[in-house]
Amino acid sequence: RAIVVKIQGYFDAWQALLLKPDIFFKISWLCRKYEKSVEELKEEMEILVEKKRNRISVAEKLEDSMDFTTELILAEKRGDLTRENVNQCVLEMLIAAPDTMSVSVFFMLFLIAKHPLVEEAIMKEIQTVVGERDIRIDDMQKLKVVESFIYESMRYQPVVDLVMRKALEDDVIDGYPVKKGTNIILNIGRMHRLEFFPKPNEFTLENFARNVPYRYFQPFGFGPRACAGKYIAMVMMKVTLVTLLRSFHVQTLQGRCVEKMQKKNDLSLHPDETSDLLGMIFIPRNSDKCLDH
Ligand code: HEM
């Protein structure tokens, strides 16, 4: 929990840095709070990565326990990365991955609870592609309905609906002069609701049935700074959904839906956790027992 609070503080600081006007950062007492939040999470990372460094230095065999942080530490040992690079990469993974993933899956479960025909199509596909065995990596490409459902959910109810860039040079974009240093906010949430989709304001798999306008569908951002986890995120979401849905039918409390859910929109769009009725009921398939979460 202590780390989660520090991540929250880091997010607040990051948001201020991206959104507040430059004059804000000339007022030192206003900045101090944010600098402290950034430092606290960095220190936490230093401690965690240091523990990992110690474990690696006494490990007899590394091949069996290679992971992202170990790879980074080995790159540091080879001189390809600095200590600061390693800590920052781990920090960014920590803040970029769990929240986006978990909130996306949360919205998806809410959506599936309200769309029984979509659920039926997904269940049919799971039965045909995976059957009763464990899910495997070669199933990923075959889960086309699940994939369309994930895309349509991210289009209709995105977790990240803005991406930002800073103009490095004076530029002209679509006829608009843009001065060097200008912060540019790209409203991908709005872009996903344009006429390029057959039914932009409806949740329907028809929107991804054919001719997907990928140019206008960018839930993971785009260019060299696009989401570093976009492929693994798709795999994780497919595996999570298949594993959950093959065992449980999901219901929301009092028929709640994403459209009426109270949300907060800072750097990401997420449910307002202080509001009621965000829980869900998981009903085991082929059984009358309910798990109320
Ligand atoms: C549904 C889940 C996810 C969504 C919707 C999502 C979305 C995004 C978006 C929109 C960006 C900004 C891209 C831009 O500015 O163009 C981003 C950045 C990033 N994401 Fe994700 N992400 C997800 C999951 C993940 C996961 C699982 C990981 C790690 C395994 C990850 C790692 C990152 C990193 C490291 C960045 C920063 C990249 C950079 O600045 O170069 N994300 N993500």
Side-chain angles (χ1 to χ4, degrees):
R1 180 160 173 81
I3 294 188
V4 172
V5 171
K6 285 177 188 168
I7 291 175
Q8 187 61 51
Y10 190 91
F11 261 113
D12 290 345
W14 191 14
Q15 185 167 261
L17 184 69
L18 289 169
L19 298 179
K20 300 263 192 233
D22 285 353
I23 184 137
F24 176 89
F25 297 96
K26 299 205 165 89
I27 308 170
S28 63
W29 62 269
L30 277 175
C31 298
R32 215 164 297 135
K33 172 177 136 200
Y34 293 119
E35 281 168 8
K36 188 165 169 266
S37 302
V38 170
E39 275 321 305
E40 277 179 359
L41 188 61
K42 283 189 167 183
E43 279 162 20
E44 195 70 52
M45 281 309 106
E46 175 66 37
I47 296 168
L48 284 175
V49 178
E50 193 52 32
K51 279 190 191 157
K52 187 82 175 178
R53 282 196 181 88
N54 292 340
R55 238 177 290 147
I56 291 174
S57 64
V58 294
E60 283 177 10
K61 211 167 143 216
L62 278 179
E63 294 81 45
D64 302 335
S65 57
M66 281 305 273
D67 56 27
F68 179 65
T69 314
T70 309
E71 298 259 18
L72 292 173
I73 293 170
L74 294 182
E76 180 194 340
K77 284 186 193 299
R78 289 194 304 270
D80 295 338
L81 293 176
T82 65
R83 192 182 180 86
E84 172 85 343
N85 293 153
V86 174
N87 293 355
Q88 191 62 25
C89 285
V90 178
L91 185 151
E92 281 185 22
M93 277 295 171
L94 192 70
I95 60 171
D99 205 47
T100 44
M101 275 287 307
S102 56
V103 178
S104 295
V105 172
F106 173 81
F107 285 151
M108 285 170 200
L109 293 177
F110 253 69
L111 284 163
I112 204 154
K114 289 273 136 200
H115 293 89
L117 291 179
V118 173
E119 181 186 11
E120 207 180 298
I122 288 180
M123 293 313 294
K124 209 167 146 194
E125 184 178 75
I126 295 177
Q127 195 50 46
T128 316
V129 174
V130 190
E132 301 308 317
R133 61 165 169 76
D134 285 345
I135 187 163
R136 291 192 311 239
I137 193 69
D138 57 319
D139 296 329
M140 294 305 125
Q141 279 199 323
K142 297 177 201 151
L143 291 165
K144 293 289 175 211
V145 182
V146 178
E147 189 169 279
S148 296
F149 168 68
I150 293 173
Y151 284 160
E152 177 61 356
S153 303
M154 288 197 291
R155 183 195 72 81
Y156 184 77
Q157 182 50 78
V159 172
V160 188
D161 62 348
L162 304 171
V163 293
M164 303 188 200
R165 298 289 186 268
K166 190 183 271 268
L168 297 178
E169 300 295 339
D170 286 348
D171 206 345
V172 178
I173 302 177
D174 219 12
Y176 292 94
V178 176
K179 281 220 164 308
K180 179 178 172 177
T182 306
N183 286 327
I184 301 168
I185 298 179
L186 300 159
N187 190 340
I188 49 175
R190 173 82 192 106
M191 195 168 89
H192 290 172
R193 292 283 186 122
L194 295 178
E195 67 278 11
F196 308 109
F197 294 90
K199 294 186 177 163
N201 292 316
E202 258 179 61
F203 178 87
T204 164
L205 300 195
E206 280 176 50
N207 283 322
F208 284 89
R210 59 198 142 95
N211 294 337
V212 179
Y214 284 111
R215 185 180 156 83
Y216 301 99
F217 178 64
Q218 300 289 346
F220 296 107
F222 33 80
R225 299 306 298 266
C227 176
K230 61 183 178 181
Y231 298 113
I232 189 76
M234 285 303 293
V235 171
M236 285 158 84
M237 287 190 286
K238 283 183 184 172
V239 172
T240 308
L241 288 171
V242 169
T243 309
L244 268 175
L245 294 176
R246 76 197 320 204
S247 301
F248 299 100
H249 166 70
V250 186
Q251 277 179 5
T252 58
L253 301 181
Q254 295 180 17
R256 283 298 167 115
C257 55
V258 286
E259 290 83 355
K260 297 214 172 115
M261 186 188 288
Q262 281 182 22
K263 300 177 199 97
K264 282 188 167 175
N265 197 356
D266 27 51
L267 275 178
S268 68
L269 187 60
H270 49 93
D272 177 355
E273 287 176 36
T274 60
S275 60
D276 293 334
L277 303 174
L278 292 178
M280 276 178 242
I281 302 167
F282 288 76
I283 303 168
R285 294 194 189 271
N286 308 322
S287 152
D288 28 353
K289 281 187 204 139
C290 285
L291 303 178
D292 191 349
H293 287 269

